[in-house]
Amino acid sequence: MKPARQPIDGVLLLNKPVGITSNAALQKAKWLLNAKKAGHTGTLDPFADGLLPLCFGEATKFSAYLLEADKRYMAVLQLGVTTTTGDPEGEVLSTREVTVDREAIGAVLPRFMGEIEQIPPMHSALKHQGRPLYEYARAGIEIERAPRKVHIRALELLECDLPRVVLDVQCSAGTYIRTLAQDIGAVLGCGAHLTALTRTTAGGFKLGDAHTLAHLESLDIDQRNALLLPADCLVAHLPAVQLDAIDTEALCQGRAIAYPDAAPGLTRAYAASNRFIGLVDANAGQLVPRRLIATQQA
């Protein structure tokens, strides 16, 4: 009989394999850790692999801060072929001769640097009237989508073995790499689709520090739990304050406290023992509870 689930709090850096959904990977890791509550920080399509940070227990309260963080990908494009989905899971729409060379490809990439607009793909989880767009797409219904601004911080041509092209993309949250591939193909005049995608970084986390499901399966439960990072790793980019026992107790009871030295803005709060309490809003010389770890003790 499987043991009763114990409270598990922390972040697991998972190297998601190709061929499964992000939710399936999450549920597998949740089962392996015998955790009660779990969530991820941004999906990867089944054909994609790479870094998928997973949150468990109290860490799920802070997952949104990584969801909004910059990401980095290695993207493999096939020029000359477009598909209905912009990736290998769709049906071929068109096939064209590829007449461009490495120099021509490198010349168009700067057009996609900086702040650009993208039209979200129909085959995406973006919702319209409560339903994801991919449900409309599967029913053959096209929904008008407003363009969205995203930021491409770096775009480097790593390999060019035509018609195969490999790009290193650093971008803001919400960027659709499939759309980027399609738009690059359109500018080149031959079309393109994404054939493979690997997420290499998310926020301050790197793929090299991630663990595979196979590795997790080879460990016992204590060894698996030892791989978890603390919840505050998700908000390590924010400033921090340390509080005494009285102020810690007040915050955990939902009360604001006086703290004139804190810089304005969202702030990490710690007890005197360096135990993470949660997030507070610093404003006008006060700290106001924003998102706290449950069952705190002073």
Side-chain angles (χ1 to χ4, degrees), residues 2-14 25-39 53-57 211 213 216-217 219-229:
K2 194 171 183 179
R5 292 184 176 184
Q6 300 297 318
I8 299 294
D9 301 312
V11 178
L12 176 71
L13 301 183
L14 182 71
L26 171 67
Q27 296 306 319
K28 179 69 171 180
K30 181 182 177 182
W31 183 83
L32 288 169
L33 288 164
N34 201 27
K36 290 183 178 180
K37 185 178 181 182
L54 305 178
C55 299
F56 299 94
H211 310 278
L213 288 172
L216 290 176
E217 289 178 311
L219 305 176
D220 62 35
I221 188 64
D222 290 334
Q223 291 172 320
R224 293 167 189 163
N225 288 342
L227 299 179
L228 293 177
L229 302 174

Side-chain angles (χ1 to χ4, degrees), residues 159-181:
E159 299 177 30
C160 184
D161 184 16
L162 296 172
R164 181 178 180 271
V165 171
V166 182
L167 301 176
D168 179 15
V169 186
Q170 298 181 49
C171 57
S172 63
T175 302
Y176 289 98
I177 308 300
R178 283 177 293 154
T179 300
L180 179 65

Side-chain angles (χ1 to χ4, degrees), residues 18 47-49 74-77 87-88 164 177 193-198:
V18 170
F47 77 90
D49 64 357
M74 185 176 70
V76 182
L77 284 62
D87 60 43
R164 181 178 180 271
I177 308 300
H193 73 284
L194 197 62
T195 60
L197 184 68
T198 300

Side-chain angles (χ1 to χ4, degrees), residues 16-22 43-49 76 78 81-93 121-125 134 137-138 178 182 192-197:
K16 187 192 88 68
V18 170
I20 64 172
T21 66
S22 293
T43 60
L44 283 171
D45 290 324
F47 77 90
D49 64 357
V76 182
Q78 181 178 346
V81 177
T82 63
T83 70
T84 53
T85 58
D87 60 43
E89 297 179 331
E91 298 178 1
V92 173
L93 281 176
M122 277 300 300
H123 289 269
S124 69
Y134 62 76
R138 289 170 183 170
R178 283 177 293 154
Q182 290 173 309
H193 73 284
L194 197 62
T195 60
L197 184 68

